[in-house]
Amino acid sequence: MGIDNDMRRYFFGPDGTTIPNAIRLINDLGTRYTHLEHDIRDRDALAKVFARYRDNIALVIHAAGQPSHDWAGREPLTDFDVNAVGTLNVLERTRSHCPDAAFIFTSTNKVYGDRPNQLPLVEMETRWEIELGHEYQAGITESMPIDSCLHSIFGVGKVAADIAVQEYGRYFGLNTATFRCGTLTGPAHAAAELHGFLAYLMRCAMEHRTYRIFGYGGKQVRDAIHSHDLVAAFEAFFRAPRQGEIYNMGGGRHSHTSLMEAVALAEKITGEQMATEYHDANRVGDHVWWVGSTAKFASHYPDWTYTYDVETILAEMYETNRQTWISR
Ligand SMILES: NC(=O)c1ccc[n+]([C@@H]2O[C@H](COP(=O)([O-])OP(=O)(O)OC[C@H]3O[C@@H](n4cnc5c(N)ncnc54)[C@H](O)[C@@H]3O)[C@@H](O)[C@H]2O)c1
């Protein structure tokens, strides 16, 4: 069952709608999939759904949310209601109706605010890189503090949700995990400028749109994980759940890129030069360098592995979206 009210269209405009994905699921899965257009802010609607299925709910993957840093500042109340209160609503319905279910929350590395920007970084030809020998050289771990740094309005709601998920594990004993994710993406990512940078970059390359780069010389680094590898991690947790866990989750050292490097990869895949436009001002609170460590998750779930890296992710986006994006 999927609950999604297509609020993404409200956040990001027509490019951002997720209705085609819902239609694809309905067509592919037939009677095995039920789509509900409820708003997670609507407690009564959620209560009815959870009360109907009760203990038949074995797993809750809570991925509904407002995902953009930049958008959050436009409507702080909406952002907090969806991201923080909406999360509490889903947690509370899980506790009341299916307390044995595994509960997975797609949190974000933005809970660390801009603290990663305090790391000693070295400017290289195509990217920023952490100083050699630093304790986070293999990736930033969950030990990074979340206090005393700039979170932006987005981070406020996300931290609240992240802590709520942990507490429903620690305080109420639910099987919860908060996955603090880097860039999550895949061929079906509904690409929009404000969210989903790799998909939007590939789309710009294919539709000959100008891709705008904001600050840091275009050398900011992100790790990126394919939805397939993320879902494999979720499945591992579902099969052997724990309580109140925190995991940094993303491409890690296996799959990471700077914006400049991603542009070069997109050009290699499309065989065409990309149009880019550089703006000096960076996005507020944007990370200069984020490569997360998945070592903790891998130590709890040693059978989990990656199947994609940035180049294979981009190549697949290209192949999957050729018909729709190039023909425009
Ligand atoms: N994609 C990333 O790179 C990334 C990275 C870190 C964390 N995350 C987090 O993971 C989650 C999912 O990310 P995504 O990239 O799939 O985002 P997305 O915008 O593609 O998906 C979120 C979905 O939630 C739905 N939604 C929004 N508000 C809703 C509401 N009130 N009720 C019901 N449905 C609602 C939207 O319509 C959308 O389909 C978000 O919370 C995001 O912050 C994403």
Side-chain angles (χ1 to χ4, degrees):
M1 182 196 310
I3 298 179
D4 194 319
N5 67 349
D6 198 29
M7 206 161 168
R8 202 174 198 278
R9 186 188 173 93
Y10 173 73
F11 298 141
F12 306 133
D15 271 359
T17 180
T18 41
I19 284 182
N21 280 341
I23 292 172
R24 189 170 48 79
L25 284 170
I26 292 163
N27 289 339
D28 288 356
L29 300 176
T31 54
R32 288 181 297 145
Y33 179 69
T34 304
H35 193 78
L36 300 172
E37 290 182 354
H38 295 315
D39 188 324
I40 58 163
R41 293 171 298 178
D42 184 343
R43 290 185 191 140
D44 293 339
L46 283 186
K48 282 187 192 132
V49 175
F50 276 77
R52 196 182 321 143
Y53 294 95
R54 294 188 311 276
D55 288 336
N56 288 322
I57 301 173
L59 169 65
V60 178
I61 298 178
H62 171 38
Q66 192 298 103
S68 164
H69 235 267
D70 295 335
W71 194 92
R74 293 185 195 167
E75 289 188 35
L77 292 176
T78 311
D79 181 76
F80 197 85
D81 279 345
V82 170
N83 284 344
V85 184
T87 298
L88 199 59
N89 292 343
V90 184
L91 280 167
E92 192 47 27
R93 294 310 177 227
T94 304
R95 184 171 80 92
S96 320
H97 298 289
C98 50
D100 295 329
F103 187 105
I104 289 169
F105 174 52
T106 51
S107 182
T108 166
N109 56 17
K110 299 296 180 336
V111 298
Y112 299 110
D114 70 349
R115 184 172 283 273
N117 292 353
Q118 296 170 17
L119 293 171
L121 298 177
V122 182
E123 186 170 3
M124 312 199 38
E125 204 182 323
T126 60
R127 59 161 54 212
W128 290 94
E129 204 25 275
I130 195 161
E131 218 171 68
L132 252 145
H134 192 276
E135 61 167 313
Y136 292 149
Q137 200 184 326
I140 296 170
T141 67
E142 297 80 0
S143 67
M144 176 168 267
I146 65 169
D147 295 323
S148 305
C149 52
L150 177 81
H151 279 85
S152 82
I153 296 305
F154 178 70
V156 174
K158 288 294 189 187
V159 167
D162 186 283
I163 305 271
V165 172
Q166 291 181 50
E167 287 312 314
Y168 270 68
R170 291 202 196 97
Y171 188 81
F172 289 126
L174 263 59
N175 299 312
T176 65
T178 175
F179 286 76
R180 295 177 169 171
C181 302
T183 295
L184 312 176
T185 195
H189 208 164
E193 185 176 32
L194 287 185
H195 178 60
F197 104 89
L198 272 182
Y200 185 69
L201 188 143
M202 198 58 189
R203 183 172 183 170
C204 286
M206 290 165 73
E207 291 185 348
H208 301 113
R209 295 192 202 187
T210 301
Y211 182 77
R212 297 196 294 168
I213 296 172
F214 297 95
Y216 305 142
K219 296 182 179 185
Q220 51 272 58
V221 170
R222 302 280 176 273
D223 63 7
I225 187 169
H226 191 286
S227 43
H228 172 91
D229 292 340
L230 180 72
V231 170
F234 288 171
E235 184 172 2
F237 179 82
F238 165 59
R239 305 237 171 256
R242 304 165 66 103
Q243 291 80 43
E245 281 295 352
I246 311 166
Y247 297 115
N248 284 351
M249 178 49 61
R253 274 292 178 196
H254 174 80
S255 173
H256 55 101
T257 181
S258 73
L259 278 192
M260 275 171 78
E261 291 162 357
V263 167
L265 277 175
E267 289 177 339
K268 181 176 151 195
I269 292 164
T270 59
E272 288 178 304
Q273 207 177 346
M274 242 189 109
T276 58
E277 193 177 278
Y278 185 72
H279 296 254
D280 274 336
N282 59 276
R283 289 180 156 139
V284 179
D286 206 17
H287 292 155
V288 184
W289 185 87
W290 176 270
V291 176
S293 163
T294 49
K296 180 181 173 195
F297 183 80
S299 75
H300 289 181
Y301 301 98
D303 290 339
W304 173 77
T305 50
Y306 290 107
T307 46
Y308 287 83
D309 61 13
V310 173
E311 186 161 0
T312 48
I313 289 171
L314 284 174
E316 190 192 43
M317 274 175 190
Y318 178 75
E319 288 305 327
T320 311
N321 296 294
R322 281 175 94 118
Q323 300 302 330
T324 40
W325 290 351
I326 289 186
S327 59
R328 286 185 209 195

